[in-house]
Amino acid sequence: MPVLTIPARDIRQGDRFSLHGFRRTASDGAWPWGDHSVSLTFEDGGYALVSDDTEFVVNRDGEAV
């Protein structure tokens, strides 16, 4: 499983990452929210609004690096 560092705006469904000390899995891709933010929804419920250029280290299935 490749590990990538990407901005929040590039998070896709199924990406796994840490946020506020918890492991999260995106239930959908990042959705724009306002001018410079995105909404990230999680498979276990809930969501977060973060700056679209916040960098995340993600694990992504099926992606060659």
Side-chain angles (χ1 to χ4, degrees), residues 1-38:
M1 180 179 317
V3 176
L4 308 167
T5 301
I6 61 172
R9 66 182 156 268
D10 293 338
I11 288 181
R12 297 188 213 166
Q13 181 180 8
D15 283 351
R16 291 188 265 307
F17 53 91
S18 290
L19 181 65
H20 304 302
F22 295 95
R23 290 295 295 164
R24 303 291 190 178
T25 302
S27 65
D28 204 351
W31 283 91
W33 187 269
D35 290 334
H36 302 286
S37 298
V38 293

